[in-house]
Amino acid sequence: MAPPDLPLLERDREKAVLSAVIGELRSGRPALVTVTGEPGLGQNELLRWAAGQAKDGGVHVLGARATPAEHELRYGVVAQLLTPEDRDLASRLFVAPQRPGGLPGLNHLLTACRYRPTLLVVHDVQWLDPASLRWLEALARRLPRAPVALLTSTTGTAIDRPEWSVGTPLTGLASTIELALPPLTASGVAAAVRAVCGPADAAFTESLAETTRGVPAVVHEVLHRFTRAGRAPRAEHVEHLRALTAEVVGDHAARALSELRDPVAVDVLRALAVCGDLLDFPLVCTLVGPHPVPEARLRAALGASGLLTTRGGSPSGHDAVVRARILEEMPATDRADLYARAARLAQRVAVADQGIAELLLRARPVGAPWAVDTLRRGFAAALRSGRRDRATAYLTRALDEPLRAEERGRVELQLASVQMVTAPVAAERRLHGLIRSADTRAGLRSQAVDLCLLGGDTRAARLAQPAAPGTPGTAAAARAPDDAVPRAERARDAVNPSASRDRAVSGAATASGGTAPDPASRNDSGHHLENTGSADNDAIVSERHELIALLRVARFLRHDETCLDVHPAPALPEHPHSPAVAGVRAWEHAMAGVHVDASRRLARAAFAPDPGGRPPLVTPRLFACRALFLTDDGDEAEAHLATLLNEAHRQRAAVAIAHVLAVRADLHIRHGRPDAAARDLAAAEAELPLTRLHPLFVPYWASLNLVADLMNGRADRAREVASRPVPSLAEECATTAYLLFARGVLARSEDDPHRARAHFRACGRWMLHYGCVNPAVLPWRSLAAEAAHALGDDEEALRLSREELRLAARWGTRSALGRAELSLAVVCEENRAEHFRAAVATLSESPARTAYTRAVLELASAESAEAGRRTALTPASRRFSTGGAAPGPRAGSTQGRPAAAGRPPGWGAPAQHGAAPHLRQRPPAGWPALSPAEHETALLAARGLGNREIAATLSVTTRAVELRLSGVYRKLRIRGREELRALSHGPEGG
């Protein structure tokens, strides 16, 4: 109940009514007033105020209080009322036998009231004993003949509702009034805060009104506890206020529960606390079992308790705090059984899956297939709404049900895919257990290792890999004697770990070169299946090949084979039917920079269905897409990435979604689409926050963000990304090279050749350490050569440029070769224009549009310095004269095959033209204020290209060209192309 000093806030109307009733009572006019409302709204406080007012006005007052403990005590309330008039009446009421129709003391009271007006005040009539109820009803019928007023309070629906409370003919001519008390409004709560705590913040007052629901008793007690804690009503203390409110509400609920004496009502109350609003009241009552209490009486008892409110005519619970207090005194086993019975009933009446899943979370195992299906559907719904913690709780609970081994493994795999974001350590433990125990035929071990690699755990691949010869192996190794590596070579690898690495590089250079491998050293899967004729052995071999492919990926991500306790990674098997092996082999060919056609063919094979129906793996297909970047098949890779993304969304695998988006951002950067790259990176970070990203992938993601910001003109953000510290583990992985390269690109854009060369050299050392020699991956040699040339070290510049040109020619893609030719033209002093023409010709047939634009601009500058030579854009003009169509595919390529940019993140960003070594004159005023995009557009317009030709060259819209030229004219303070051509001699340095 409310404390006695609770202010009667916002009760002026009720006090006016009671004052009027007391005034009429003094004039001899009877009345019957009932004050109703939820517990804590101040009914009894209002009755005490009225009693005080009546005494002050000379009215005789008699009071009583009904309690749950005295509900079975005969005439308990009557004894309280009449004892002040007759002290011996109580003993006679309790001891004397009850006579039919007897109303002890009533006539004596009515006689005494004729000489003095009397106010009878009865608190909490919902707990009246039956005898006292009959006595008060008899008094109500006699009110018109005596100057008596009956003032009662109730918390809603009483167990035996007094008939006078609704105004019946029983009361005759007496005034019958019912006052329903509402909760406090927001202004009332604010007044209470001012009265107890003083001035308060608006956020504090709003939070108090929301959490207490405006119940005065709760508001008053919370405020007093808050002030006793020595805190001020400020916004920064809102969380403490919420905790205090939950504690007070819980205490009120526990007090009300202790007053509820009917065991059937208690059981129904607990069932309602379990089911909430999921089931109708009659269905809730069935959970209690057979009982003699009518439903109407149960409704009345629960309404009188104040623990539940009525919605739509049926009782329903308040909030989680009250429900927890109702259920906390139950034994744990009984509570779990009640939840299980409620879940079964909810499933039979087709309640929504989310509601049944909530019941199953706290239930004991029900042992029915529908339980697991419901929990998995609840898992998917929770992920759709972004509630990852709830989703993991559903699948964790599903593992408590009896499951077949394969189904259990799939649930654990699905759970781990979410825990990779919320609890990566728990996910790794779960996946390691799955790797040790999963059945080979289901493909769960390979999927578990694949998921571990996406999470950055490279140990899982070694955990799943069979041991090297001479060491204890796994069961899979014993069942699969046909290893992909010949026995003699494996023995040499055990003695000399470097032999495996050397053989891996040489294998990448020769295995797919068109010549058949030696039959003695080839793992012939068809021969194996012919000999065994066993589907189980086929599954074992397929799994072993997948695990070897994943182990090779782990070796690339983190090169720790120099450790004594780590066996060297076996070479990839010559297994043409494994998509996982095909994807990883395609990447290793691309890393070695040899056999571009074989790499392209293997990358495509990585997306073919597995012949044995095994589920596809994500990591090998991601590496196959990256190989397609390097073979100038980026459009094809983008289509495969879209398929991977849809698949990851269907499986609700956040970590896979994030990695696919990151790789697609890499593709967008290579294709000169930094806006799209920034969107994909933002979406990837929404799925996998940077705080949850494994250190092995931090450098790669940082490099993508850095270069995307730089290409989007956000140099400040790029510098911020470059300056962020990386975890120590990130310095031990292959992706460190990407961050070093991106930092070099940033230093190059800031015209700092010393720092740029240092970063590019460090990138090169790191790439060579991991066996990557292909300049299409990261062209560190060409950019280091340009930095060396800017520093005057022409010998090193020429050496690096020629080395990159040789390696690019061996790889054979137009993008890599054109970039190498462009770099050689920049650092070469002789026949510079001819070298630029070669670069333009090569890049014009490649998807590296940014590099092509730079080559065109450099050629234009070089030709401006050579009077009488033909202009740079003559071949380009001829190309544009055909309608802007790009040249057809080169010889040997597939007609209609999509092309992809072969440049790494950030490659092809416009060079700093103001710092170009061949500029002769100072640029015009306003030229440095141009953005890189405006700079490129202005130079092309000055060379005579139309807007459509410029748009085709820069891969933008015609409208974008118009806007850029408007900005150029405004910044240079000129009026059109003619003046721009007149100024072109200066910035071009002709």
Side-chain angles (χ1 to χ4, degrees):
M1 295 300 109
D5 57 344
L6 175 67
L8 291 174
L9 297 171
E10 298 186 325
R11 298 294 183 255
D12 294 337
R13 181 184 67 87
E14 291 80 4
K15 289 194 291 185
V17 171
L18 293 177
S19 297
V21 168
I22 293 170
E24 292 183 352
L25 179 60
R26 286 199 299 266
S27 301
R29 286 188 289 272
L32 196 155
V33 181
T34 304
V35 182
T36 66
E38 294 183 25
L41 291 182
Q43 300 95 313
N44 292 336
E45 180 68 15
L46 194 61
L47 263 61
R48 283 192 289 270
W49 177 88
Q53 293 292 108
K55 288 180 180 178
D56 294 341
V59 176
H60 185 53
V61 179
L62 298 177
R65 178 188 295 275
T67 63
E70 297 180 354
H71 178 64
E72 302 299 331
L73 179 63
R74 185 169 57 126
Y75 293 118
V77 170
V78 173
Q80 295 180 53
L81 285 173
L82 300 183
T83 296
E85 302 294 320
D86 185 357
R87 296 185 179 278
D88 297 330
L89 179 64
S91 59
R92 296 196 303 271
L93 287 174
F94 299 149
V95 176
Q98 182 179 7
R99 299 192 307 273
L103 298 170
L106 180 58
N107 290 332
H108 177 74
L109 174 66
L110 293 174
T111 301
C113 290
R114 290 178 181 177
Y115 303 99
R116 56 179 180 178
T118 303
L119 176 66
L120 301 181
V121 181
V122 181
H123 300 259
D124 299 326
V125 294
Q126 72 269 14
W127 303 118
L128 280 173
D129 61 277
S132 295
L133 176 63
R134 288 194 304 272
W135 194 93
L136 288 175
E137 287 177 345
L139 173 66
R141 285 193 294 269
R142 292 167 173 79
L143 281 181
R145 298 191 297 271
V148 177
L150 178 60
L151 177 59
T152 63
S153 68
T154 178
T155 58
T157 305
I159 295 177
D160 291 311
R161 182 176 176 83
E163 294 186 32
W164 72 75
S165 61
V166 292
T168 66
L170 289 176
T171 59
L173 300 177
S175 299
T176 303
I177 302 171
E178 182 171 355
L179 299 176
L181 299 184
L184 296 179
T185 63
S187 60
V189 174
V193 175
R194 287 193 299 271
V196 178
C197 304
D201 291 348
F204 182 91
T205 304
E206 291 173 2
S207 177
L208 180 64
E210 176 188 355
T211 54
T212 61
R213 298 186 300 112
V215 177
V218 179
V219 170
H220 189 259
E221 188 170 349
V222 168
L223 289 176
H224 274 277
R225 293 191 187 186
F226 185 82
T227 54
R228 283 199 300 270
R231 298 178 183 270
R234 298 288 181 263
E236 58 266 23
H237 297 149
V238 166
E239 290 303 321
H240 178 68
L241 176 70
R242 290 181 180 274
L244 270 182
T245 304
E247 181 181 341
V248 171
V249 170
D251 292 343
H252 281 235
R255 191 180 307 120
L257 185 62
S258 66
E259 295 175 352
L260 194 60
R261 302 292 178 174
D262 190 345
V264 176
V266 172
D267 290 342
V268 173
L269 184 66
R270 288 170 173 170
L272 276 170
V274 166
C275 297
D277 299 329
L278 292 177
L279 301 176
D280 295 335
F281 187 74
L283 288 174
V284 172
C285 293
T286 62
L287 292 175
V288 179
H291 56 82
V293 183
E295 182 180 322
R297 184 177 178 85
L298 285 174
R299 289 175 181 268
L302 295 175
S305 70
L307 291 169
L308 301 173
T309 58
T310 301
R311 297 177 187 171
S314 296
S316 60
H318 279 316
D319 53 19
V321 175
V322 175
R323 289 197 295 270
R325 286 298 183 100
I326 292 172
L327 296 173
E328 66 182 3
E329 295 183 1
M330 290 185 69
T333 54
D334 294 346
R335 186 166 55 246
D337 181 69
L338 178 59
Y339 272 106
R341 288 188 284 113
R344 288 196 189 95
L345 181 59
Q347 194 270 338
R348 285 200 298 272
V349 298
V351 172
D353 290 333
Q354 203 81 355
I356 303 175
E358 286 293 322
L359 295 175
L360 289 171
L361 279 182
R362 300 167 180 84
R364 58 171 175 77
V366 298
W370 61 263
V372 177
D373 295 339
T374 302
L375 287 167
R376 296 183 76 173
R377 289 194 296 269
F379 160 82
L383 280 186
R384 282 195 299 270
S385 60
R387 301 166 61 206
R388 284 183 175 142
D389 292 340
R390 212 58 177 172
T392 57
Y394 289 149
L395 283 193
T396 303
R397 171 61 183 83
L399 293 174
D400 294 336
E401 297 290 334
L403 297 168
R404 292 179 289 105
E406 181 177 344
E407 186 178 8
R408 179 174 295 276
R410 297 194 183 283
V411 172
E412 288 188 344
L413 192 68
Q414 196 173 23
L415 175 58
S417 69
V418 180
Q419 287 183 325
M420 276 293 180
V421 178
T422 59
V425 176
E428 288 181 8
R429 286 200 301 266
R430 189 177 301 279
L431 291 173
H432 287 187
L434 188 62
I435 290 169
R436 293 188 183 97
S437 61
D439 188 0
T440 297
R441 291 168 295 181
L444 293 177
R445 296 181 72 220
S446 299
Q447 292 183 80
V449 176
D450 183 36
L451 186 56
C452 282
L453 288 178
L454 291 175
D457 177 18
T458 58
R459 297 171 300 166
R462 294 172 177 83
L463 178 68
Q465 184 64 23
T471 61
T474 62
R479 294 193 299 268
D482 58 330
D483 202 304
V485 183
R487 190 177 303 274
E489 292 187 8
R490 286 189 280 115
R492 288 197 302 271
D493 291 346
V495 178
N496 181 16
S498 63
S500 173
R501 294 191 294 271
D502 296 340
R503 176 162 40 80
V505 175
S506 63
T510 60
S512 300
T515 58
D518 184 3
S521 62
R522 185 180 71 233
N523 176 34
D524 193 342
S525 175
H527 178 69
H528 170 73
L529 293 177
E530 183 180 352
N531 289 341
T532 61
S534 170
D536 290 344
N537 284 340
D538 186 23
I540 292 170
V541 172
S542 297
E543 181 189 75
R544 181 173 178 80
H545 292 164
E546 289 176 347
L547 293 178
I548 290 174
L550 294 174
L551 182 60
R552 300 289 295 184
V553 173
R555 174 184 176 274
F556 169 73
L557 290 176
R558 189 178 181 189
H559 209 337
D560 55 1
E561 291 189 354
T562 56
C563 300
L564 295 178
D565 59 342
V566 176
H567 297 290
L572 286 171
E574 296 292 332
H575 192 285
H577 303 301
S578 173
V581 171
V584 178
R585 283 179 62 200
W587 173 249
E588 291 196 348
H589 282 334
M591 290 280 289
V594 293
H595 304 302
V596 63
D597 292 332
S599 180
R600 181 181 295 116
R601 184 180 66 252
L602 289 168
R604 291 169 176 167
F607 295 92
D610 187 87
R614 297 176 66 81
L617 304 179
V618 176
T619 304
R621 288 184 290 170
L622 280 179
F623 275 87
C625 288
R626 295 174 70 177
L628 289 174
F629 295 175
L630 308 181
T631 61
D632 283 359
D633 295 281
D635 291 342
E636 185 176 352
E638 189 171 4
H640 290 311
L641 288 172
T643 302
L644 281 173
L645 191 60
N646 291 334
E647 178 184 304
H649 276 296
R650 285 196 303 271
Q651 297 174 355
R652 313 292 174 188
V655 65
I657 294 172
H659 280 285
V660 173
L661 288 171
V663 173
R664 194 168 71 175
D666 190 350
L667 171 63
H668 288 319
I669 290 174
R670 293 171 182 269
H671 278 196
R673 300 191 293 261
D675 291 342
R679 287 193 297 269
D680 275 350
L681 288 172
E685 291 179 14
E687 293 288 340
L688 182 61
L690 292 179
T691 55
R692 296 288 188 179
L693 184 64
H694 194 277
L696 289 182
F697 302 114
V698 167
Y700 181 60
W701 284 42
S703 69
L704 296 176
N705 279 286
L706 191 159
V707 175
D709 288 337
L710 195 60
M711 295 178 70
N712 282 317
R714 296 190 288 263
D716 292 340
R717 288 182 53 178
R719 282 189 288 269
E720 179 187 352
V721 173
S723 62
R724 289 176 191 166
V726 296
S728 57
L729 183 59
E731 299 176 356
E732 304 175 11
C733 61
T735 59
T736 301
Y738 286 87
L739 183 56
L740 292 170
F741 184 85
R743 286 172 175 170
V745 172
L746 176 62
R748 181 170 178 262
S749 71
E750 294 175 344
D751 197 16
D752 187 350
H754 289 280
R755 188 159 53 94
R757 181 168 66 169
H759 285 308
F760 291 135
R761 282 176 170 178
C763 169
R765 288 192 296 270
W766 212 254
M767 296 298 288
L768 294 176
H769 174 70
Y770 280 87
C772 178
V773 297
N774 190 350
V777 180
L778 292 176
W780 60 270
R781 296 176 184 84
S782 61
L783 297 188
E786 293 185 25
H789 178 67
L791 294 173
D793 192 350
D794 293 336
E795 182 179 355
E796 180 186 3
L798 286 172
R799 178 180 60 81
L800 289 173
S801 295
R802 287 167 179 164
E803 182 180 0
E804 174 149 332
L805 184 61
R806 177 181 60 81
L807 294 172
R810 186 178 73 170
W811 178 238
T813 61
R814 291 282 182 171
S815 297
L817 185 59
R819 283 196 301 269
E821 291 173 344
L822 177 60
S823 176
L824 181 61
V826 170
V827 303
C828 183
E829 295 295 338
E830 298 179 357
N831 299 323
R832 172 174 291 163
E834 294 300 326
H835 289 299
F836 278 131
R837 289 191 189 94
V840 168
T842 304
L843 289 171
S844 66
E845 299 182 10
S846 79
R849 306 311 303 166
T850 308
Y852 171 71
T853 301
R854 183 191 174 208
V856 170
L857 297 175
E858 294 285 1
L859 178 56
S861 296
E863 287 189 340
S864 296
E866 296 180 3
R869 304 291 297 273
R870 60 184 180 175
T871 60
L873 299 179
T874 300
S877 299
R878 288 198 299 269
R879 184 165 64 87
F880 288 130
S881 66
T882 63
R890 59 186 174 86
S893 64
T894 303
Q895 181 68 26
R897 173 176 57 82
R903 60 189 184 283
W907 168 244
Q912 300 297 311
H913 290 275
H918 50 273
L919 294 184
R920 308 287 186 197
Q921 302 177 10
R922 295 179 60 186
W927 191 266
L930 300 182
S931 67
E934 292 172 339
H935 192 178
E936 294 174 349
T937 307
L939 290 175
L940 292 174
R943 308 319 301 173
L945 272 69
N947 286 358
R948 288 190 179 182
E949 294 174 336
I950 298 173
T953 303
L954 299 179
S955 299
V956 297
T957 63
T958 306
R959 178 59 178 165
V961 174
E962 294 172 355
L963 293 175
R964 291 180 185 180
L965 288 177
S966 297
V968 170
Y969 300 153
R970 184 180 64 257
K971 292 177 182 179
L972 298 183
R973 298 181 180 180
I974 59 178
R975 288 174 294 190
R977 287 177 180 264
E978 294 301 326
E979 294 186 28
L980 182 62
R981 292 193 187 98
L983 291 174
S984 64
H985 183 76
E988 291 294 328

